Amino acid sequence: MVKIKALGHACFVLSTDEHSVIFDPWLAENPEAACGPGDVAVDAILVSHGHSDHLGDAIEISKRLGVPIVAPYELAMYCARFGCDVAPMHIGGGRQFDFGHVKLTQALHGSAIVEDDHIEYTGMPCGFVVTMGGCAVYYAADTGLFSDMKLIGDTNDLRAAILPIGDNFTMGPADALIAAEMLRADVVVPTHYSVFDIIQQDADSFAEDLQARGLRCMVLKPGEEGEVG
Ligand code: NI
Ligand code: MN
């Protein structure tokens, strides 16, 4: 069994009785965040790409807790400059950690730190398959639809797939339905659809469209938690 808690936008915590990890901890500046960066207590911080709504407060949390940032190599090296513990990985690679197993998947997106006067590219973005408590969870991160999601579904017995539905920057609901059919996870958790005007979507109607295809959806509002496994 593993618990999935939504903290707002693309930030989620996966936890078992012993361990927990956080994905893309954008909290301090996130208008819908269910908690602040100072409230987070985890074993590791998984960051999919450098955009500010994902890297968020990762560096601050990592330094406070003394836990690693798990990220694609270039982004991990960027974080290491600030004195963080890092676990650099890359797409296709897996690693066993004390809290569980992490494998990086491709994501069709960008990855950069966008500052006022320049853009610092931080390599390729990624998604994650995390296995904790015997349960594999796919966190797609910001991505467009790609047909290799079928391969991710074929090679992992997924208990949950956390998929963006916001459109504009990522898949919209129609493509997320196709993704869900390829992944065949026990449950789909929609993400990345509410915090900016341009990505507003109706998660309940997405859930109905999934149900019509025989697939389960778990809509988690910021602060809500569900269990899979
Ligand atoms: Ni992004
Ligand atoms: Mn994003």
Side-chain angles (χ1 to χ4, degrees):
M1 299 270 247
V2 68
K3 286 180 181 156
I4 303 173
K5 183 169 188 178
L7 293 184
H9 192 52
C11 181
F12 290 84
V13 171
L14 283 193
S15 61
T16 61
D17 288 344
E18 292 86 34
H19 296 291
S20 62
V21 299
I22 192 167
F23 294 105
D24 290 356
W26 180 49
L27 297 168
E29 312 247 302
N30 176 350
E32 65 172 33
C35 70
D39 303 316
V40 173
V42 291
D43 296 297
I45 303 158
L46 280 55
V47 184
S48 63
H49 64 293
H51 294 161
S52 57
D53 59 320
H54 297 264
L55 179 59
D57 309 296
I59 291 167
E60 175 190 330
I61 298 167
S62 168
K63 289 173 79 167
R64 177 174 59 81
L65 297 175
V67 300
I69 293 178
V70 181
Y73 177 79
E74 294 83 358
L75 178 57
M77 290 300 104
Y78 172 87
C79 295
R81 275 195 224 156
F82 296 86
C84 298
D85 186 11
V86 295
M89 296 182 67
H90 233 304
I91 294 162
R95 195 199 293 198
Q96 188 67 45
F97 292 88
D98 286 346
F99 60 81
H101 189 268
V102 176
K103 185 172 178 181
L104 267 58
T105 62
Q106 71 165 341
L108 299 182
H109 196 63
S111 182
I113 316 293
V114 180
E115 285 168 350
D116 289 342
D117 56 348
H118 74 288
I119 293 178
E120 183 157 357
Y121 278 93
T122 45
M124 300 282 281
C126 76
F128 298 97
V129 175
V130 177
T131 306
M132 288 173 70
C135 297
V137 174
Y138 174 47
Y139 177 87
D142 284 9
T143 185
L145 179 65
F146 53 90
S147 58
D148 280 3
M149 284 183 182
K150 173 148 192 331
L151 199 54
I152 296 172
D154 286 350
T155 53
N156 295 279
D157 186 15
L158 297 172
R159 297 280 78 88
I162 302 173
L163 302 179
I165 65 163
D167 223 341
N168 192 75
F169 297 116
T170 68
M171 293 190 283
D175 282 356
L177 286 175
I178 298 168
E181 288 188 314
M182 289 194 285
L183 291 160
R184 299 183 316 281
D186 290 355
V187 66
V188 173
V189 179
T191 180
H192 212 275
Y193 63 86
S194 57
V195 81
F196 308 122
D197 287 344
I198 193 107
I199 60 170
Q200 294 299 318
Q201 298 293 340
D202 182 345
D204 293 327
S205 91
F206 175 69
E208 284 167 23
D209 291 342
L210 278 172
Q211 270 150 23
R213 288 164 171 75
L215 298 166
R216 273 187 61 219
C217 188
M218 186 162 73
V219 177
L220 296 176
K221 296 197 178 71
E224 291 182 348
E225 184 175 69
E227 193 169 70
V228 296

